Amino acid sequence: MVSRVVPVCKYKRILLKLSGEFLLNKETGSGIDPDAAAYVAGRIGAAVKMKVQTAVVIGGGNIIRGGSVSSRRMDRVIADHMGMLVTVINTLALKDALERMGIEARIQSAVSMDKFAELVNADRAVRHLKKGRVVLYAGGTGNPFFTTDSAAALRAAEIGADVLLKATNVEGVYSADPRKNPEAILFKKLTYAEALDRRLGVMDAAAFSLCMEAGIPAVVFNFFRKRSIEDVLEGRSVGTVVSHGNQGG
Ligand code: UDP
């Protein structure tokens, strides 16, 4: 008789942070591509199949990042409001892609959007997660001058996630930009303090501070490497673990 080995997951509840750029149409370089959304949904589905409770924060970098818009051309607060609205559109695209795969998902928004989404509510989110539904967080923190990295850390703390998985398109945290500097070294582990001191571009300081405060380890990993989600969840040494130094790795 063939016995199937069920993978043992290191984490029970995760908060996955995705960049809005993951939804870009690679040919036109803009907007939301249903094929890209399907790829992302498939990767989220891999975690769901492993029975890991999965909450997701997605950014809006595929259309607008408020901080990148020149203040001479647009008011920062308005640009940030636009960025937050993009994240709502992105969660709708992801919900569609997930449900096409038969995966139930609920959107919770930090800004009232009652035709499309519930308001953020941690207890309700946890109930969804326990029922195997993916919770998609929209609207970031609901405040300008923040990023969706901070929203990810905030939501991870609210729902008591075991880890924040920060998905990127490089292997993890490097000593320099690996796309510009071939000598750049990949760190396997960092403490929060080291991550903060180094002012790493990979995740903002407010997000690292929140993770440190809540004691939630962050794993920075390559979302596009084959089976990377599975490897992280099964506890293999993938990407960079940022923690107090005695956890998460
Ligand atoms: N944003 C904001 N407050 C938040 C989260 C996001 O004002 O709590 C705005 C901000 O302008 C940000 C944009 O939404 O640049 C898109 O989010 P982010 O840059 O984090 O997206 P990503 O780079 O992850 O795609």
Side-chain angles (χ1 to χ4, degrees):
M1 198 171 83
V2 182
S3 67
R4 289 190 74 193
V5 181
V6 180
V8 178
C9 287
K10 181 168 179 177
Y11 308 108
K12 195 168 156 236
R13 184 175 298 158
I14 62 170
L15 188 302
L16 176 65
K17 165 66 208 323
L18 304 170
S19 169
E21 283 184 17
F22 295 174
L23 300 183
L24 275 179
N25 179 311
K26 291 201 179 63
E27 267 148 43
T28 62
S30 68
I32 298 170
D33 178 14
D35 291 338
Y39 175 82
V40 171
R43 298 284 62 225
I44 295 170
V48 174
K49 269 195 207 115
M50 293 169 81
K51 306 263 179 259
V52 174
Q53 296 177 20
T54 306
V56 176
V57 167
I58 185 155
N62 48 328
I63 298 180
I64 188 165
R65 289 192 179 99
S68 308
V69 178
S70 150
S71 59
R72 273 178 294 148
R73 296 178 64 218
M74 192 179 274
D75 177 78
R76 170 67 191 265
V77 174
I78 290 179
D80 280 342
H81 286 163
M82 291 168 72
M84 285 187 263
L85 285 175
V86 175
T87 71
V88 180
I89 298 174
N90 287 346
T91 52
L92 286 165
L94 273 187
K95 180 175 173 18
D96 175 71
L98 284 164
E99 293 191 340
R100 279 166 189 275
M101 292 174 183
I103 300 167
E104 257 196 287
R106 295 287 186 275
I107 300 175
Q108 290 205 345
S109 173
V111 284
S112 176
M113 260 314 141
D114 58 8
K115 289 273 189 289
F116 312 122
E118 300 168 6
L119 259 189
V120 167
N121 178 310
D123 289 339
R124 203 163 172 193
V126 167
R127 284 202 293 277
H128 289 317
L129 293 170
K130 286 183 174 165
K131 288 180 185 163
R133 296 172 183 152
V134 174
V135 174
L136 301 167
Y137 281 114
T141 64
N143 297 296
F145 300 102
F146 284 94
T147 68
T148 51
D149 282 352
S150 297
L154 178 62
R155 303 298 168 225
E158 274 186 335
I159 60 168
D162 301 318
V163 68
L164 189 167
L165 302 184
K166 162 79 185 188
T168 71
N169 53 14
V170 293
E171 295 307 312
V173 179
Y174 288 81
S175 54
D177 185 342
R179 282 164 297 206
K180 293 183 190 148
N181 183 349
E183 312 280 293
I185 295 162
L186 173 67
F187 297 111
K188 298 305 283 176
K189 286 182 181 189
L190 285 172
T191 63
Y192 301 115
E194 286 166 339
L196 285 166
D197 280 354
R198 286 176 177 272
R199 296 179 189 279
L200 299 171
V202 72
M203 197 157 102
D204 64 50
F208 276 129
S209 300
L210 262 165
C211 284
M212 180 162 77
E213 182 80 18
I216 298 172
V219 180
V220 182
F221 74 105
N222 187 346
F223 187 67
F224 299 94
R225 176 186 278 277
K226 208 173 164 207
R227 284 188 54 84
S228 60
I229 292 246
E230 291 88 334
D231 286 343
V232 174
L233 296 179
E234 286 170 15
R236 296 209 177 80
S237 171
V238 174
T240 305
V241 180
V242 184
S243 69
H244 279 305
N246 55 1
Q247 61 174 142

